Amino acid sequence: MDADVVVVGAGLAGLVATCELAEAGRSVVLLDQESEANLGGQAWWSFGGLFLVGSPEQRRMGISDSFDLAWQDWQGTAGWDRLTNADGTPGPDHWGRRWARAYVEWAAGGKRAWLRERGITFFPVVGWAERGDGTSGGHGNSVPRFHIPWGTGTGLVAPFEQRLREHVAAGRVFYRPRHRVDQIVRTGGVVTGVRGSLLAADASPRGVASNRDVTGEFEYGGQVVVVTSGGIGGNHELVRANWPDRLGTPPADLLTGVPAYVDGRMLAITEAVGGTVVNRDRMWHYVEGVRNWDPVWPGHAIRILPGPSSMWFDGAGNRLPAPYLPGFDTLGTLNHLRHTGFDHSWFVLNKSIVGKEFALSGSEQNLDLTERRYREVLKRPITPVTPSVKAFLEHGEDWVTADTIGELVAKMNALTPDAPLDAARLERQIVERDRQVDNAYTKDTQVAAIRVARRYRGDRLTKRAFPLHRILDPKHGPLVAVRLRVLSRKTLGGLHTDLGGRVLDASGAPVPGLYAAGEVAGFGGGGVHGYRALEGTFVGGCLFSGRSAGRSAAADL
């Protein structure tokens, strides 16, 4: 035996689990197929938003929240329908629902204090993501809950990376990058370690696809193996193979929102020793993807985080109906768009809305928050266009500007010559919307939603809900159109685990010595989110499931 525990995957869930194990006095070998430059994995690149309930930040923004309201929102969003098998035994959603309840309790209880103990603090304005499908008991956040940490995803990873390095220096953790696990070893019915390939050294910067040249083999033994290897979003073959019929056909033109190493390899490897994967058909992909003008990994795309004011049109030029408004219902909008016959859609707006309402997901797109440049953050509401958005306006292949609708549509059609739009038809729909702006009794759902958003202090202060005005008002020009495509991102199903992170076999019994956490486990139970997410729940799910699996494995040894 080389250590008490072998952890496979050095992303955020792996770092948290490793630190919990080391602090409980267990020795750990931490393996990852990537180089040390990629420590922290996909979470490092994220915006880092966290789902919290009843926080001081919410109260300061005038938000009244509670566990009961949050749990209602989570259940309505998840839509679990696989709680029980035909024979009455617990179904694929049984443990996911229990994980979700425990997570919402943590978000409404000790989560914020646990994070602050590790030096993580929050931007004072709470974001309002996934505003919902328009029903009280259905999908969506009833109130703003998206807490942005100072330092974004990079800042979330940093304290756990620091603790890991301290454990390495003390000899409690043995970190081995460029070690790709190819097999989990099971001896006499019990998991006893891993085998794999040593990959050649690679000096590529963080996120850049690395080589897969094999230079040797390795084997590490332990009493426990914890799998924390992430999802499938970088593997389009797996994404398409698992794509559910309910979402139409997968896009032929699919952008990539995660590094290439998010490949899903460990799912089949874990299944080979008896672990079960559930809810493969549940996934979370964004519809507001634009190709990165300065890519890091192959097919690298960025998600636009829109405010509520952009007009949204499908590839034929039809305005999207409610509730498929910007920032309201990601998966509902994906479903709608996948049945239009087009792989793209359009935002049409003006420069004022772009400058105030557009944010871009990712730590590298928000350097003021990531690098804690507090004065620059304070200037955001008065900056005409933030530097990262301005760079996309100037260099992005999906962005066009013009002074008139005719000129704008001509440029849009040049981007999508196989799906030309009619300028007069597009202009008519925009004029119809503009006539509702000065109407206090508007029948336009989106205009009404903007007014609701502006009643929230945070949206008003940050200009995330810009004051209502006519899109065709030349004072707010030029006009802007952005071509949007589907961006691969999260796996919502995964390895079936109990509340301790123990991987379950086909009978529902734990595989002895085998645990999982993070996205590879559907962030807990093989499906903590059910069919949909409330946002701020992905990196938080890595924290919670990594913490739970690490503590459980340490206690079981």
Side-chain angles (χ1 to χ4, degrees), residues 129-143:
E130 287 298 296
R131 302 186 188 210
D133 64 4
T135 62
S136 298
H139 168 60
N141 285 294
S142 297
V143 298

Side-chain angles (χ1 to χ4, degrees), residues 292-316:
N292 193 350
W293 65 273
D294 186 20
V296 177
W297 52 79
H300 186 187
I302 298 295
R303 182 202 177 195
I304 295 173
L305 301 172
S309 302
S310 302
M311 293 191 71
W312 205 336
F313 297 89
D314 67 20

Side-chain angles (χ1 to χ4, degrees), residues 4 9 26 77 105 121 159 184 189 232 283 286 291 320 399 403 423 469 508 512 516-517 521 543:
D4 295 323
R26 312 305 182 193
T77 293
E105 288 173 348
T121 56
I184 296 173
I232 68 172
M283 51 187 70
Y286 291 112
R291 194 176 296 278
L320 268 60
W399 306 61
D403 291 324
H469 64 278
L543 295 169

Side-chain angles (χ1 to χ4, degrees), residues 42 231-236 239 254-259 262-264 285 488-491 519:
Q42 184 183 344
I232 68 172
N235 185 335
H236 287 190
V239 169
L254 180 63
L255 303 179
T256 308
V258 295
V262 186
D263 56 18
H285 305 304
S488 69
R489 187 60 67 85
K490 296 297 181 185
T491 313
E519 193 172 353

Side-chain angles (χ1 to χ4, degrees), residues 457-535:
R457 188 184 309 159
D459 279 347
R460 195 168 61 250
L461 288 172
T462 61
K463 304 295 195 297
R464 285 284 290 152
F466 195 67
L468 267 169
H469 64 278
R470 290 180 293 110
I471 285 177
L472 296 179
D473 185 342
K475 295 195 298 293
H476 293 282
L479 297 169
V480 179
V482 186
R483 177 179 57 178
L484 309 171
R485 286 170 281 179
V486 178
L487 170 77
S488 69
R489 187 60 67 85
K490 296 297 181 185
T491 313
L492 299 188
L495 293 171
H496 205 189
T497 63
D498 66 12
L499 278 179
R502 301 170 191 86
V503 176
L504 306 177
D505 64 18
S507 72
V511 178
L514 187 58
Y515 296 71
E519 193 172 353
V520 74
F523 302 92
V528 69
H529 298 95
Y531 284 94
R532 306 167 193 83
L534 286 171
E535 290 288 15

